[in-house]
Amino acid sequence: MKNTERRDREMPYISDEEVFEEQKRARRLTQAMNTADSSDFEKINGIVKELLGKSEGAVINPPFYCDYGTHIEMGKNFFANYNCTILDVAKVVIGDNCMFAPNVSIYTAGHPLHPEIRSTLYEYGVGVTIGDNVWIGGNVVICPGVHIGSNTVIGAGSVVTRDIPDWVVAAGNPCKVIRRITDEDRKYYFRGREFDDEAWEDVQRRMAGK
């Protein structure tokens, strides 16, 4: 079995010439994206669309890094702030309306734990999935095999090593659930700060228009 086939089946594989050849496309496109005029939104968005396996209006602020791009699927209205890294050796599937703060990293790639086995150059990729309406805070690392549920917030600086359920705030290293998100959270934009009347009226209009 070819190493590209082993990789795509989440089996141990070695990065041979065929693997590296597949990575060249992503390197060319990310270099073009990261060196483009940062105010040329049309050009950057065009590269994003070409780079990714699937996206529906994704907006990514350069710099951005990935291994293949073709293994990344993003739903509607995705936004990633500066310096996002996605090592998409395996599939990365992200739902609708997800937002990444700066310096978010998703790693599907890994290496065997035992040093002698690791020295044989075998590696692996295990997929990551993120549900709808998820907000990932700055400097978060998401490790191989993790599933993050819909409507969840991951606090800044977290290292996500295990699955996180729907409708929670989770944070820490390792990342753990802190509390549920409830209807009581609707009226606040930051901790104890409530929306003012003008903004709240606009929120209601926007929600009604969905």
Side-chain angles (χ1 to χ4, degrees):
M1 188 184 302
K2 297 195 298 184
N3 278 299
T4 52
E5 295 172 321
R6 297 183 64 87
R7 177 201 64 203
D8 293 346
R9 296 184 185 187
E10 297 191 353
M11 298 169 65
Y13 76 98
I14 290 176
S15 289
D16 58 13
E17 288 302 316
E18 187 173 10
V19 171
F20 288 133
E21 189 64 31
E22 288 190 1
Q23 292 180 359
K24 287 182 179 179
R25 170 186 171 275
R27 295 194 180 204
R28 284 193 293 266
L29 287 171
T30 53
Q31 181 175 1
M33 178 181 174
N34 295 337
T35 57
D37 181 341
S38 59
S39 67
D40 192 343
F41 301 127
E42 185 175 351
K43 179 177 181 179
I44 292 169
N45 291 341
I47 296 171
V48 169
K49 188 173 182 180
E50 183 180 358
L51 175 65
L52 302 179
K54 177 186 174 184
S55 65
E56 299 182 52
V59 174
I60 298 175
N61 280 338
F64 172 77
Y65 305 96
C66 65
D67 282 330
Y68 300 93
T70 51
H71 298 165
I72 302 171
E73 296 184 3
M74 294 173 175
K76 299 175 184 177
N77 305 319
F78 175 80
F79 172 74
N81 219 323
Y82 308 108
N83 207 39
C84 178
T85 298
I86 301 179
L87 301 186
D88 58 323
V89 169
K91 276 280 188 184
V92 175
V93 180
I94 300 169
D96 295 338
N97 307 313
C98 290
M99 302 172 67
F100 288 7
N103 302 305
V104 169
S105 296
I106 298 175
Y107 305 148
T108 69
H111 304 270
L113 186 64
H114 196 284
E116 291 181 357
I117 305 302
R118 194 163 58 247
S119 68
T120 66
L121 302 183
Y122 269 94
E123 54 189 299
Y124 63 85
V126 180
V128 168
T129 59
I130 297 173
D132 297 331
N133 309 308
V134 174
W135 177 20
I136 307 293
N139 293 291
V140 167
V141 174
I142 300 170
C143 293
V146 162
H147 171 77
I148 296 174
S150 295
N151 307 303
T152 279
V153 175
I154 305 296
S158 298
V159 178
V160 190
T161 60
R162 296 286 186 270
D163 291 355
I164 303 295
D166 299 348
W167 284 101
V168 298
V169 176
N173 182 6
C175 187
K176 296 180 181 179
V177 173
I178 295 174
R179 68 174 180 87
R180 298 285 301 173
I181 296 172
T182 69
D183 281 347
E184 182 66 19
D185 292 303
R186 286 178 176 270
K187 61 184 179 181
Y188 299 104
Y189 66 93
F190 178 71
R191 297 179 181 168
R193 300 188 184 189
E194 294 189 30
F195 282 95
D196 61 273
D197 290 342
E198 181 182 0
W200 186 246
E201 288 178 8
D202 189 45
V203 166
Q204 298 303 303
R205 285 193 296 268
R206 290 170 180 269
M207 293 294 293
K210 281 190 174 181

